[in-house]
Amino acid sequence: MEIDRPRFALVLGAGGVRGIAHLGVLRRLVAAGLRPDALVGCSAGALIAAFYAGAGIDAEELVEYGTAVTARHLLAYGLVLRRFRKVPSRIRERCDWFSDRLSLLDRCDVDRLSFGVRRLGLLTFDTVSRRELFIATGANHHSVTLGDAARGSAAVPLLFPARNIQRDGVRLRLIDGGVSRTLPVSSAFDPPIGARHVLAVKVSGMPGVLERSNRHFPSLQERYEDQLILLEVAVPSLRSLFYSEDQNLSLVQAGESAVTPALIARIRAWQ
């Protein structure tokens, strides 16, 4: 039924460390009283969507999480996951902190959500079937946990190992959903999410295999017209792995700046 469809979904795409900019968008929307009632995430965006809607961690605390983790921490975390022992103890402590927070998702479920979010979907890619796997509220046919889906969606090839799952006679090997689509707009409109309107947040980065045509994003805008807002965040450049947490704050601020009064007015007008 049309009345049961989420009024507006927020789609948070891939982008690696630059995905921290999504936190600024989310924080600004919440501050404006525009909480999305559906969330769809891929890669970095999947982690943010899972922590917010699944684990019930508010936008302010998520900003604290995001700004505490830099690219060198993520690189070290990837080495820890691959059982590489020569990681400095100071960096390993941050990796343990990151593991502890990810473990929160193992106690959560895509069907029990927070902050008024009614539907949640995470895009990942299964290398066994060589197909996208969309884990979503009301349609998790593979019984994949929220923790598995989030880790799989964010498992950037070469940086993190794939998430291997053997359950109910099904074998899955999940990696970053961004290899296919960095911004799963159609997943937000289609069932089981079925949103009436979508704000999709894009940060810079390599496009997915299905997005390589120059016409991909313009054609999405033409297809969905006023139902879709494609928001591209102009993120500051990060010139090396050894940037500071302060530069993470600049990414958050870029996300906040992208949510202009005009954009807020357009979202308020959605009925």
Coordinates of all heavy atoms in Angstrom, one line a residue, residues 173-268:
R173 N 30.4 -15.5 0.4 CA 31.7 -14.9 0.6 C 31.4 -13.4 0.2 O 31.5 -13.1 -1.0 CB 32.7 -15.5 -0.3 CG 34.2 -15.1 0.0 CD 35.2 -16.0 -0.7 NE 36.5 -15.7 -0.3 CZ 37.3 -14.8 -0.9 NH1 36.8 -14.1 -1.9 NH2 38.5 -14.5 -0.5
L174 N 31.2 -12.6 1.2 CA 30.8 -11.2 1.0 C 31.9 -10.2 0.9 O 32.8 -10.2 1.8 CB 29.8 -10.8 2.1 CG 28.6 -11.8 2.3 CD1 27.7 -11.2 3.4 CD2 27.8 -12.0 1.0
I175 N 31.9 -9.3 -0.1 CA 32.8 -8.2 -0.2 C 32.1 -6.9 -0.4 O 30.8 -6.9 -0.5 CB 33.8 -8.5 -1.3 CG1 33.1 -8.5 -2.7 CG2 34.6 -9.7 -1.1 CD1 34.1 -8.5 -3.8
D176 N 32.8 -5.9 -0.5 CA 32.3 -4.5 -0.7 C 31.3 -4.4 -1.8 O 31.6 -4.7 -2.9 CB 33.5 -3.6 -1.0 CG 33.2 -2.1 -1.0 OD1 32.0 -1.8 -1.0 OD2 34.1 -1.3 -1.1
G177 N 30.1 -4.0 -1.4 CA 29.0 -3.8 -2.4 C 29.4 -2.8 -3.5 O 28.8 -2.8 -4.6
G178 N 30.3 -1.9 -3.2 CA 30.7 -0.9 -4.1 C 31.4 -1.4 -5.4 O 31.5 -0.7 -6.4
V179 N 31.8 -2.7 -5.4 CA 32.4 -3.2 -6.6 C 31.4 -3.3 -7.7 O 31.7 -3.2 -8.9 CB 33.0 -4.6 -6.4 CG1 34.1 -4.6 -5.3 CG2 32.0 -5.7 -6.1
S180 N 30.1 -3.4 -7.3 CA 29.0 -3.4 -8.2 C 28.4 -2.0 -8.4 O 28.3 -1.5 -9.5 CB 28.0 -4.4 -7.8 OG 26.8 -4.4 -8.6
R181 N 27.9 -1.5 -7.3 CA 27.2 -0.2 -7.3 C 27.7 0.6 -6.0 O 27.4 0.1 -4.9 CB 25.7 -0.3 -7.3 CG 25.1 -0.7 -8.6 CD 23.6 -0.7 -8.6 NE 23.1 -1.7 -7.6 CZ 21.9 -1.7 -7.1 NH1 21.1 -0.7 -7.4 NH2 21.5 -2.7 -6.3
T182 N 28.2 1.7 -6.2 CA 28.6 2.5 -5.0 C 27.5 3.3 -4.4 O 27.5 3.7 -3.2 CB 29.7 3.6 -5.4 OG1 29.2 4.5 -6.4 CG2 31.0 2.9 -5.9
L183 N 26.4 3.5 -5.2 CA 25.3 4.2 -4.7 C 24.0 3.5 -5.1 O 23.5 3.8 -6.2 CB 25.3 5.7 -5.3 CG 24.4 6.7 -4.6 CD1 24.9 6.9 -3.1 CD2 24.4 8.0 -5.4
P184 N 23.5 2.6 -4.3 CA 22.3 1.8 -4.7 C 21.0 2.5 -4.6 O 20.1 2.2 -3.7 CB 22.4 0.6 -3.7 CG 23.1 1.2 -2.5 CD 24.0 2.2 -3.0
V185 N 20.8 3.4 -5.5 CA 19.6 4.2 -5.5 C 18.3 3.4 -5.8 O 17.3 3.5 -5.1 CB 19.7 5.3 -6.6 CG1 18.3 6.0 -6.8 CG2 20.7 6.3 -6.2
S186 N 18.4 2.5 -6.8 CA 17.2 1.7 -7.1 C 16.8 0.8 -6.0 O 15.6 0.5 -5.8 CB 17.4 0.9 -8.4 OG 18.5 0.1 -8.3
S187 N 17.7 0.4 -5.2 CA 17.4 -0.5 -4.0 C 16.6 0.2 -3.0 O 15.8 -0.4 -2.3 CB 18.7 -1.0 -3.4 OG 19.5 -1.8 -4.2
A188 N 16.7 1.5 -3.0 CA 15.9 2.3 -2.0 C 14.4 2.5 -2.5 O 13.5 2.5 -1.7 CB 16.5 3.7 -1.8
F189 N 14.2 2.6 -3.8 CA 12.9 2.7 -4.4 C 12.2 1.4 -4.5 O 11.0 1.3 -4.3 CB 13.0 3.3 -5.8 CG 13.2 4.8 -5.8 CD1 14.4 5.4 -6.2 CD2 12.2 5.7 -5.4 CE1 14.6 6.8 -6.2 CE2 12.3 7.1 -5.4 CZ 13.5 7.6 -5.8
D190 N 12.9 0.3 -4.8 CA 12.3 -1.0 -5.1 C 11.9 -1.7 -3.8 O 12.5 -1.4 -2.7 CB 13.2 -1.9 -5.9 CG 13.5 -1.3 -7.3 OD1 12.7 -0.5 -7.8 OD2 14.5 -1.8 -7.9
P191 N 11.0 -2.6 -3.8 CA 10.8 -3.5 -2.6 C 12.0 -4.2 -2.3 O 12.8 -4.6 -3.2 CB 9.6 -4.4 -3.1 CG 9.0 -3.7 -4.2 CD 10.1 -3.0 -4.9
P192 N 12.3 -4.5 -1.0 CA 11.4 -4.3 0.1 C 11.5 -3.0 0.8 O 10.7 -2.7 1.7 CB 11.9 -5.4 1.1 CG 13.4 -5.5 0.9 CD 13.5 -5.3 -0.6
I193 N 12.4 -2.1 0.4 CA 12.5 -0.7 1.0 C 11.3 0.1 0.5 O 10.5 0.6 1.3 CB 13.8 0.0 0.6 CG1 15.0 -0.9 1.1 CG2 13.8 1.4 1.3 CD1 15.0 -1.2 2.6
G194 N 11.1 0.3 -0.8 CA 9.9 0.9 -1.4 C 9.7 2.3 -1.0 O 8.6 2.8 -0.8
A195 N 10.8 3.1 -0.8 CA 10.6 4.5 -0.4 C 9.9 5.4 -1.5 O 10.1 5.1 -2.7 CB 12.0 5.2 -0.1
R196 N 9.2 6.4 -1.1 CA 8.5 7.3 -2.1 C 9.5 8.3 -2.6 O 9.3 8.8 -3.7 CB 7.3 7.9 -1.4 CG 6.1 7.0 -1.3 CD 4.9 7.7 -0.7 NE 5.1 7.8 0.8 CZ 4.4 8.7 1.5 NH1 3.5 9.5 1.0 NH2 4.6 8.7 2.8
H197 N 10.4 8.7 -1.8 CA 11.4 9.7 -2.2 C 12.8 9.3 -1.6 O 12.8 8.6 -0.6 CB 11.1 11.1 -1.6 CG 9.7 11.6 -1.9 ND1 8.6 11.4 -1.1 CD2 9.2 12.3 -3.0 CE1 7.5 11.9 -1.6 NE2 7.9 12.4 -2.8
V198 N 13.8 9.7 -2.3 CA 15.2 9.3 -1.9 C 16.1 10.5 -2.0 O 16.2 11.2 -3.0 CB 15.7 8.1 -2.8 CG1 17.2 7.9 -2.6 CG2 14.9 6.9 -2.6
L199 N 16.9 10.6 -0.9 CA 18.1 11.5 -0.9 C 19.3 10.6 -0.9 O 19.5 9.8 0.0 CB 18.1 12.4 0.3 CG 19.4 13.2 0.5 CD1 19.6 14.2 -0.6 CD2 19.4 13.9 1.9
A200 N 20.1 10.6 -2.0 CA 21.2 9.7 -2.2 C 22.5 10.5 -2.2 O 22.7 11.5 -2.9 CB 21.1 9.0 -3.5
V201 N 23.4 10.2 -1.2 CA 24.6 11.0 -1.0 C 25.8 10.3 -1.6 O 26.1 9.2 -1.3 CB 24.8 11.1 0.5 CG1 26.0 12.1 0.8 CG2 23.6 11.7 1.2
K202 N 26.5 11.0 -2.5 CA 27.6 10.5 -3.2 C 28.9 11.3 -2.9 O 28.9 12.5 -2.8 CB 27.3 10.7 -4.7 CG 28.4 10.1 -5.7 CD 27.9 10.3 -7.1 CE 28.8 9.6 -8.1 NZ 30.1 10.4 -8.2
V203 N 29.9 10.5 -2.6 CA 31.2 11.2 -2.4 C 32.2 10.6 -3.5 O 31.9 9.7 -4.2 CB 31.8 10.9 -1.0 CG1 30.9 11.4 0.1 CG2 32.0 9.4 -0.8
S204 N 33.3 11.3 -3.6 CA 34.2 10.9 -4.7 C 34.8 9.5 -4.5 O 34.9 9.0 -3.4 CB 35.4 11.9 -4.8 OG 36.1 12.0 -3.6
G205 N 35.1 8.9 -5.6 CA 35.7 7.6 -5.6 C 35.4 6.8 -6.9 O 34.8 7.3 -7.8
M206 N 36.0 5.6 -7.0 CA 35.8 4.8 -8.2 C 34.4 4.4 -8.3 O 33.8 3.9 -7.3 CB 36.8 3.6 -8.1 CG 38.2 4.0 -8.3 SD 38.6 4.6 -9.9 CE 38.4 3.1 -10.9
P207 N 33.8 4.4 -9.5 CA 32.4 3.9 -9.7 C 32.4 2.4 -9.7 O 33.4 1.7 -9.9 CB 32.0 4.5 -11.1 CG 33.3 4.6 -11.8 CD 34.4 5.0 -10.8
G208 N 31.3 1.8 -9.4 CA 31.1 0.4 -9.5 C 31.0 -0.1 -10.9 O 30.8 0.8 -11.8
V209 N 31.0 -1.4 -11.1 CA 31.0 -1.9 -12.5 C 29.7 -1.5 -13.2 O 29.8 -1.2 -14.4 CB 31.0 -3.5 -12.4 CG1 30.8 -4.1 -13.8 CG2 32.4 -3.9 -11.9
L210 N 28.6 -1.4 -12.5 CA 27.3 -1.0 -13.1 C 27.1 0.5 -13.3 O 26.1 0.9 -13.8 CB 26.2 -1.6 -12.3 CG 26.1 -3.1 -12.2 CD1 25.0 -3.6 -11.4 CD2 26.1 -3.8 -13.6
E211 N 28.1 1.3 -12.9 CA 28.0 2.7 -12.9 C 29.0 3.4 -13.8 O 29.1 4.6 -13.8 CB 28.2 3.3 -11.4 CG 27.2 2.8 -10.4 CD 27.6 3.1 -9.0 OE1 28.8 3.3 -8.7 OE2 26.7 3.2 -8.2
R212 N 29.7 2.7 -14.6 CA 30.8 3.2 -15.4 C 30.4 4.1 -16.6 O 31.1 4.9 -17.1 CB 31.7 2.1 -15.8 CG 32.5 1.5 -14.7 CD 33.4 0.4 -15.1 NE 34.1 -0.1 -13.9 CZ 34.9 -1.3 -13.9 NH1 35.0 -2.0 -15.1 NH2 35.5 -1.7 -12.9
S213 N 29.1 3.9 -17.0 CA 28.6 4.8 -18.1 C 28.5 6.2 -17.5 O 28.0 6.5 -16.4 CB 27.3 4.3 -18.6 OG 26.6 5.3 -19.4
N214 N 28.8 7.2 -18.4 CA 28.7 8.6 -18.0 C 27.2 9.0 -17.8 O 26.9 10.0 -17.2 CB 29.3 9.5 -19.0 CG 30.8 9.4 -19.0 OD1 31.4 9.1 -18.0 ND2 31.5 9.7 -20.2
R215 N 26.3 8.1 -18.4 CA 24.9 8.4 -18.3 C 24.2 7.8 -17.1 O 23.0 7.9 -17.0 CB 24.2 7.9 -19.6 CG 24.6 8.7 -20.9 CD 23.8 10.0 -20.8 NE 22.4 9.8 -20.7 CZ 21.6 10.7 -20.2 NH1 22.1 11.9 -19.7 NH2 20.3 10.5 -20.1
H216 N 25.0 7.0 -16.3 CA 24.3 6.2 -15.3 C 23.5 7.1 -14.3 O 22.3 7.0 -14.1 CB 25.3 5.4 -14.5 CG 24.7 4.7 -13.3 ND1 24.0 3.6 -13.5 CD2 24.7 5.0 -12.0 CE1 23.6 3.1 -12.3 NE2 24.0 4.0 -11.4
F217 N 24.2 8.1 -13.7 CA 23.5 8.9 -12.7 C 22.5 9.9 -13.3 O 21.4 10.1 -12.8 CB 24.6 9.7 -11.8 CG 25.3 8.7 -10.9 CD1 26.6 8.4 -11.1 CD2 24.6 8.1 -9.8 CE1 27.3 7.5 -10.3 CE2 25.3 7.2 -9.0 CZ 26.6 6.9 -9.2
P218 N 22.9 10.6 -14.5 CA 21.8 11.4 -15.1 C 20.6 10.6 -15.5 O 19.5 11.1 -15.4 CB 22.5 11.9 -16.4 CG 24.0 11.9 -16.0 CD 24.2 10.7 -15.1
S219 N 20.8 9.3 -15.9 CA 19.6 8.5 -16.2 C 18.8 8.2 -15.0 O 17.5 8.1 -15.1 CB 20.0 7.2 -17.0 OG 20.7 6.4 -16.1
L220 N 19.4 8.0 -13.9 CA 18.6 7.8 -12.6 C 17.8 9.0 -12.3 O 16.6 8.9 -11.9 CB 19.6 7.5 -11.5 CG 20.2 6.1 -11.4 CD1 21.2 6.1 -10.2 CD2 19.1 5.0 -11.2
Q221 N 18.4 10.2 -12.5 CA 17.6 11.4 -12.2 C 16.4 11.6 -13.1 O 15.3 12.0 -12.7 CB 18.6 12.6 -12.3 CG 18.0 13.9 -11.8 CD 17.8 13.9 -10.3 OE1 18.7 14.0 -9.5 NE2 16.5 13.7 -9.8
E222 N 16.7 11.2 -14.4 CA 15.6 11.3 -15.4 C 14.5 10.3 -15.1 O 13.3 10.6 -15.2 CB 16.1 11.0 -16.8 CG 17.0 12.1 -17.3 CD 17.8 11.7 -18.5 OE1 17.6 10.6 -19.1 OE2 18.7 12.5 -19.0
R223 N 14.9 9.1 -14.6 CA 13.9 8.1 -14.3 C 13.0 8.4 -13.1 O 11.8 8.3 -13.2 CB 14.6 6.8 -14.0 CG 13.7 5.6 -13.6 CD 14.5 4.4 -13.3 NE 13.6 3.3 -12.8 CZ 14.1 2.1 -12.4 NH1 15.4 1.8 -12.4 NH2 13.2 1.2 -12.0
Y224 N 13.6 9.0 -12.0 CA 12.8 9.2 -10.8 C 12.4 10.6 -10.6 O 11.6 10.9 -9.7 CB 13.7 8.7 -9.6 CG 13.9 7.3 -9.6 CD1 15.2 6.7 -9.8 CD2 12.9 6.4 -9.3 CE1 15.4 5.4 -9.8 CE2 13.1 5.0 -9.3 CZ 14.4 4.5 -9.5 OH 14.6 3.2 -9.5
E225 N 12.9 11.5 -11.5 CA 12.6 13.0 -11.5 C 12.6 13.6 -10.1 O 13.6 13.4 -9.4 CB 11.2 13.1 -12.1 CG 11.2 12.6 -13.6 CD 9.8 12.8 -14.2 OE1 8.8 12.7 -13.5 OE2 9.8 13.0 -15.4
D226 N 11.5 14.2 -9.6 CA 11.5 14.9 -8.4 C 11.5 14.0 -7.1 O 11.6 14.5 -6.0 CB 10.3 15.9 -8.3 CG 10.4 17.0 -9.3 OD1 11.6 17.3 -9.7 OD2 9.4 17.7 -9.6
Q227 N 11.3 12.7 -7.4 CA 11.4 11.8 -6.3 C 12.8 11.5 -5.7 O 13.0 11.0 -4.6 CB 10.8 10.4 -6.7 CG 9.3 10.4 -7.0 CD 8.9 9.0 -7.5 OE1 9.1 8.7 -8.7 NE2 8.4 8.2 -6.6
L228 N 13.8 11.9 -6.5 CA 15.2 11.7 -6.2 C 16.0 12.9 -6.1 O 15.9 13.8 -7.0 CB 15.8 10.7 -7.3 CG 17.3 10.5 -7.2 CD1 17.7 9.8 -5.9 CD2 17.8 9.7 -8.4
I229 N 16.8 13.1 -5.1 CA 17.8 14.1 -5.0 C 19.1 13.4 -4.9 O 19.4 12.6 -4.0 CB 17.6 15.0 -3.8 CG1 16.3 15.8 -3.9 CG2 18.8 16.0 -3.7 CD1 16.0 16.6 -2.6
L230 N 20.0 13.7 -5.9 CA 21.4 13.2 -5.9 C 22.2 14.3 -5.3 O 22.4 15.3 -5.9 CB 21.8 12.8 -7.3 CG 21.3 11.5 -7.9 CD1 21.6 11.4 -9.4 CD2 21.8 10.3 -7.2
L231 N 22.8 14.0 -4.2 CA 23.6 15.0 -3.5 C 25.1 14.6 -3.5 O 25.5 13.6 -2.9 CB 23.2 15.1 -2.0 CG 24.0 16.1 -1.2 CD1 23.8 17.5 -1.7 CD2 23.5 16.0 0.3
E232 N 25.9 15.3 -4.3 CA 27.3 15.0 -4.3 C 28.1 16.0 -3.4 O 28.0 17.2 -3.5 CB 27.8 15.2 -5.8 CG 29.3 14.7 -5.9 CD 29.7 14.4 -7.3 OE1 28.8 14.5 -8.2 OE2 30.8 13.9 -7.5
V233 N 28.7 15.4 -2.4 CA 29.5 16.1 -1.4 C 30.9 16.4 -2.0 O 31.6 15.5 -2.3 CB 29.5 15.4 -0.1 CG1 30.3 16.2 0.9 CG2 28.1 15.1 0.4
A234 N 31.2 17.7 -2.0 CA 32.6 18.1 -2.3 C 33.5 17.9 -1.1 O 33.6 18.8 -0.2 CB 32.6 19.5 -2.8
V235 N 34.2 16.8 -1.1 CA 35.1 16.5 0.1 C 36.5 17.0 -0.1 O 37.0 17.0 -1.3 CB 35.1 15.0 0.4 CG1 33.7 14.5 0.7 CG2 35.7 14.2 -0.8
P236 N 37.1 17.5 0.9 CA 38.5 17.9 0.8 C 39.4 16.8 0.5 O 39.1 15.6 0.9 CB 38.8 18.6 2.2 CG 37.8 17.9 3.1 CD 36.6 17.7 2.3
S237 N 40.5 17.0 -0.2 CA 41.5 15.9 -0.5 C 42.3 15.5 0.7 O 42.6 16.3 1.5 CB 42.4 16.4 -1.6 OG 43.2 17.5 -1.2
L238 N 42.6 14.2 0.8 CA 43.4 13.7 1.8 C 44.7 13.2 1.1 O 44.6 12.2 0.4 CB 42.7 12.6 2.6 CG 41.4 12.9 3.2 CD1 40.7 11.7 3.8 CD2 41.6 14.0 4.3
R239 N 45.8 13.8 1.3 CA 47.0 13.6 0.5 C 47.8 12.4 0.9 O 48.6 11.9 0.2 CB 47.8 14.8 0.5 CG 47.2 16.0 -0.2 CD 48.1 17.2 -0.3 NE 47.5 18.3 -1.1 CZ 46.6 19.1 -0.6 NH1 46.2 19.0 0.7 NH2 46.1 20.1 -1.3
S240 N 47.5 11.8 2.1 CA 48.3 10.7 2.5 C 47.5 9.9 3.6 O 46.5 10.4 4.1 CB 49.7 11.1 3.1 OG 49.6 11.5 4.4
L241 N 48.1 8.7 4.0 CA 47.4 7.9 5.0 C 47.7 8.6 6.4 O 47.0 8.2 7.4 CB 48.0 6.5 5.0 CG 47.7 5.6 3.9 CD1 48.4 4.3 4.0 CD2 46.2 5.3 3.8
F242 N 48.6 9.5 6.5 CA 49.0 10.0 7.8 C 48.4 11.3 8.1 O 49.0 12.2 8.7 CB 50.5 10.0 7.9 CG 51.1 8.7 7.7 CD1 51.7 8.3 6.4 CD2 51.1 7.7 8.7 CE1 52.2 7.0 6.2 CE2 51.6 6.5 8.5 CZ 52.2 6.1 7.3
Y243 N 47.1 11.5 7.8 CA 46.4 12.7 8.1 C 45.9 12.6 9.6 O 45.9 11.5 10.1 CB 45.3 13.0 7.1 CG 44.2 12.0 7.1 CD1 43.1 12.1 8.0 CD2 44.3 10.9 6.2 CE1 42.1 11.1 8.0 CE2 43.3 10.0 6.2 CZ 42.2 10.1 7.1 OH 41.2 9.2 7.1
S244 N 45.4 13.7 10.1 CA 45.0 13.7 11.5 C 43.5 13.6 11.6 O 42.8 13.7 10.6 CB 45.4 15.1 12.2 OG 44.7 16.1 11.6
E245 N 43.1 13.4 12.9 CA 41.6 13.3 13.1 C 40.9 14.6 12.8 O 39.8 14.6 12.5 CB 41.4 12.9 14.6 CG 41.6 11.4 14.9 CD 43.1 11.1 15.2 OE1 44.0 12.0 15.0 OE2 43.4 10.0 15.6
D246 N 41.7 15.7 12.9 CA 41.1 17.0 12.6 C 40.7 17.1 11.1 O 39.7 17.7 10.8 CB 42.1 18.2 12.8 CG 42.3 18.4 14.3 OD1 41.5 18.0 15.1 OD2 43.3 19.1 14.7
Q247 N 41.4 16.4 10.3 CA 41.0 16.4 8.9 C 39.7 15.5 8.7 O 39.0 15.8 7.7 CB 42.1 15.8 8.0 CG 43.3 16.9 7.8 CD 44.4 16.3 7.1 OE1 45.2 15.5 7.7 NE2 44.6 16.7 5.9
N248 N 39.5 14.5 9.5 CA 38.2 13.8 9.5 C 37.1 14.8 9.8 O 36.0 14.7 9.2 CB 38.2 12.7 10.5 CG 38.8 11.4 10.0 OD1 39.0 11.3 8.8 ND2 39.1 10.5 10.8
L249 N 37.3 15.7 10.7 CA 36.3 16.7 11.0 C 36.0 17.5 9.8 O 34.8 17.9 9.6 CB 36.7 17.6 12.2 CG 36.6 17.1 13.6 CD1 37.2 18.0 14.6 CD2 35.1 16.9 13.9
S250 N 37.0 17.8 9.0 CA 36.7 18.6 7.8 C 35.8 17.8 6.8 O 35.0 18.4 6.1 CB 38.0 19.0 7.1 OG 38.6 17.9 6.5
L251 N 35.9 16.5 6.8 CA 35.0 15.7 6.0 C 33.6 15.8 6.5 O 32.6 15.9 5.8 CB 35.5 14.2 6.0 CG 36.8 13.9 5.3 CD1 37.2 12.5 5.6 CD2 36.7 14.2 3.8
V252 N 33.4 15.7 7.8 CA 32.1 15.8 8.5 C 31.5 17.2 8.1 O 30.3 17.3 7.7 CB 32.2 15.7 10.0 CG1 30.8 16.0 10.6 CG2 32.6 14.3 10.3
Q253 N 32.3 18.3 8.2 CA 31.8 19.6 7.9 C 31.4 19.8 6.5 O 30.5 20.5 6.1 CB 32.9 20.6 8.3 CG 33.1 20.7 9.8 CD 34.5 21.4 10.2 OE1 35.3 21.7 9.3 NE2 34.7 21.5 11.5
A254 N 32.2 19.1 5.6 CA 31.8 19.1 4.1 C 30.4 18.5 3.9 O 29.6 19.0 3.1 CB 32.8 18.3 3.3
G255 N 30.1 17.4 4.6 CA 28.8 16.8 4.6 C 27.7 17.7 5.1 O 26.6 17.9 4.5
E256 N 28.0 18.4 6.2 CA 27.0 19.3 6.7 C 26.8 20.5 5.8 O 25.6 20.9 5.6 CB 27.5 19.8 8.1 CG 27.5 18.8 9.2 CD 27.9 19.3 10.5 OE1 28.9 20.0 10.6 OE2 27.1 19.1 11.5
S257 N 27.8 21.0 5.2 CA 27.7 22.2 4.3 C 26.9 21.8 3.1 O 26.3 22.7 2.5 CB 29.1 22.7 3.9 OG 29.8 23.1 5.0
A258 N 26.9 20.6 2.7 CA 26.2 20.1 1.5 C 24.7 20.2 1.7 O 23.9 20.3 0.8 CB 26.6 18.8 1.0
V259 N 24.2 20.1 3.0 CA 22.8 20.2 3.3 C 22.4 21.6 3.5 O 22.4 22.1 4.6 CB 22.5 19.3 4.6 CG1 21.0 19.3 4.8 CG2 23.0 17.9 4.4
T260 N 22.1 22.3 2.4 CA 21.8 23.7 2.4 C 20.4 23.9 2.8 O 19.5 23.0 2.8 CB 22.1 24.2 1.0 OG1 21.2 23.6 0.1 CG2 23.5 24.0 0.5
P261 N 20.1 25.2 3.1 CA 18.6 25.5 3.4 C 17.7 25.2 2.2 O 16.6 24.7 2.5 CB 18.7 27.0 3.7 CG 20.1 27.3 4.2 CD 20.9 26.3 3.4
A262 N 18.2 25.3 1.0 CA 17.4 25.0 -0.2 C 17.1 23.5 -0.2 O 16.0 23.1 -0.5 CB 18.1 25.5 -1.4
L263 N 18.1 22.7 0.1 CA 17.9 21.3 0.1 C 16.9 20.8 1.2 O 16.1 20.0 1.0 CB 19.3 20.5 0.3 CG 19.2 19.0 0.4 CD1 18.7 18.4 -0.9 CD2 20.6 18.5 0.8
I264 N 17.1 21.4 2.4 CA 16.2 21.1 3.5 C 14.7 21.5 3.1 O 13.8 20.7 3.4 CB 16.6 21.9 4.7 CG1 17.9 21.3 5.3 CG2 15.5 21.9 5.8 CD1 18.5 22.1 6.4
A265 N 14.5 22.6 2.4 CA 13.2 23.0 2.0 C 12.6 22.0 1.0 O 11.4 21.7 1.0 CB 13.2 24.4 1.4
R266 N 13.5 21.5 0.1 CA 13.0 20.5 -0.9 C 12.6 19.2 -0.2 O 11.5 18.6 -0.5 CB 14.1 20.1 -1.9 CG 14.4 21.2 -2.9 CD 15.4 20.8 -3.9 NE 15.0 19.6 -4.7 CZ 15.8 19.0 -5.6 NH1 17.1 19.3 -5.7 NH2 15.3 18.0 -6.3
I267 N 13.3 18.8 0.8 CA 13.0 17.5 1.5 C 11.7 17.7 2.3 O 10.8 16.9 2.4 CB 14.1 17.1 2.4 CG1 15.3 16.8 1.6 CG2 13.7 15.9 3.3 CD1 16.6 16.5 2.4
R268 N 11.5 18.9 3.0 CA 10.3 19.2 3.7 C 9.1 19.2 2.8 O 8.0 18.8 3.3 CB 10.4 20.6 4.4 CG 11.4 20.7 5.5 CD 11.1 21.9 6.4 NE 12.2 22.2 7.2 CZ 12.5 21.6 8.4 NH1 11.7 20.6 8.8 NH2 13.5 22.0 9.1

